[in-house]
Amino acid sequence: MSPRSPSVNEELRRKSRERILQATVELVDTRGYEATTLGDIAERAGSARGLISYYFPGKRQLLQSAVHRLMHLTLEGALERPPRTDDGHERMARAIDAILGLAAERPTLMRTHMAGILQAEGFVQCPEQQRLAFLLRDTVTRYGSEDVDTDYPLLRALLMGAVVAVLLPGAQMPLARLRSELFHRYGLDWEAGAPPDGGPPDGTPSLRPSAGRHVPGRPDRSVQSSKSK
């Protein structure tokens, strides 16, 4: 039997790494972080325990990479779902809904992820995090930002803050209210993206896209002008 080519070996390593990441998401989501061991993850992924240590320096870094992969795939699916669009406002709406949706659908996983980010290690600079960052930067660019290096970190911070607000034990904020605030900030119509049932919360505006085209981090002139009347 001839030895495998480098390209075949690379594909096998990629698939093995993805199985480990997927197994991590599934187990932590159902059992919690402390109750999930690296041995459990290896068994679920069908991989050797030592292979996890080869790819990842520790369990916390593994979890961050796994959640960043989930966020990347979820965001990519939302941005590219039919009907596909290049409209920057619609893509911004889809991005916001995708990230907020993960907080609502996988609270245990996302709460554990956010807790890990707030520890000393901070963000793990891994391929999964870089893919997620690329999609969010591209969203900000298509939205019309004139300063992506400023507006992308702001969007990331706003989304992280909203996720924490959805998940904060004992003081959770309603997802619809947080969505409404983010949509208002970015001048997005409530019906854009994947709106939840029930319409916007009472007392919050429902802007049409044409009425609120402002760039993140800059004043919304449509809101200012309405207040001055």
Side-chain angles (χ1 to χ4, degrees):
M1 180 181 295
S2 59
R4 293 193 293 259
S5 68
S7 61
V8 170
N9 285 331
E10 179 63 27
E11 179 65 11
L12 290 174
R13 285 192 291 269
R14 183 187 67 81
K15 289 182 177 179
S16 174
R17 193 174 189 278
E18 288 184 350
R19 287 197 302 271
I20 292 170
L21 293 170
Q22 182 61 32
T24 302
V25 164
E26 293 171 356
L27 289 174
V28 174
D29 193 34
T30 55
R31 299 182 185 178
Y33 180 76
E34 297 298 335
T36 299
T37 68
L38 293 179
D40 295 332
I41 293 170
E43 182 178 0
R44 172 68 69 92
S47 300
R49 166 67 177 77
L51 195 59
I52 296 179
S53 298
Y54 173 78
Y55 288 130
F56 305 97
K59 185 171 141 183
R60 181 66 65 181
Q61 291 85 352
L62 167 58
L63 176 62
Q64 281 204 40
S65 293
V67 176
H68 283 144
R69 175 177 179 267
L70 173 64
M71 294 173 72
H72 162 256
L73 294 175
T74 302
L75 179 56
E76 183 177 57
L79 293 173
E80 300 303 318
R81 75 167 181 264
R84 190 187 181 283
T85 179
D86 289 322
D87 179 81
H89 278 57
E90 171 63 21
R91 292 177 73 85
M92 178 65 77
R94 292 185 183 191
I96 292 171
D97 282 339
I99 302 303
L100 289 182
L102 278 176
E105 295 163 10
R106 296 177 178 263
T108 299
L109 182 70
M110 294 302 291
R111 188 178 290 116
T112 305
H113 173 63
M114 296 305 297
I117 287 176
L118 295 174
Q119 293 184 1
E121 301 97 300
F123 274 112
V124 172
Q125 298 298 321
C126 60
E128 289 73 25
Q129 188 273 329
Q130 293 167 1
R131 294 186 187 104
L132 175 62
F134 173 83
L135 286 181
L136 287 175
R137 285 182 65 92
D138 182 67
T139 298
V140 171
T141 300
R142 291 171 185 255
Y143 174 74
S145 170
E146 297 175 357
D147 185 0
V148 176
D149 289 338
T150 297
D151 294 334
Y152 155 65
L154 177 59
L155 173 63
R156 183 182 63 197
L158 290 170
L159 290 174
M160 288 177 62
V163 168
V164 170
V166 170
L167 299 174
L168 190 62
Q172 298 97 328
M173 286 190 65
L175 185 145
R177 172 63 65 180
L178 291 164
R179 182 185 193 266
S180 177
E181 294 296 329
L182 286 170
F183 271 44
H184 184 55
R185 180 183 186 92
Y186 285 97
L188 306 175
D189 178 25
W190 177 264
E191 296 303 321
D197 295 334
D202 293 340
T204 59
S206 180
L207 298 178
R208 302 304 303 175
S210 60
R213 296 189 179 277
H214 79 286
V215 176
R218 292 166 174 76
D220 185 343
R221 292 188 176 88
S222 65
V223 175
Q224 287 185 329
S225 61
S226 67
K227 289 182 178 179
S228 64
K229 293 180 180 179

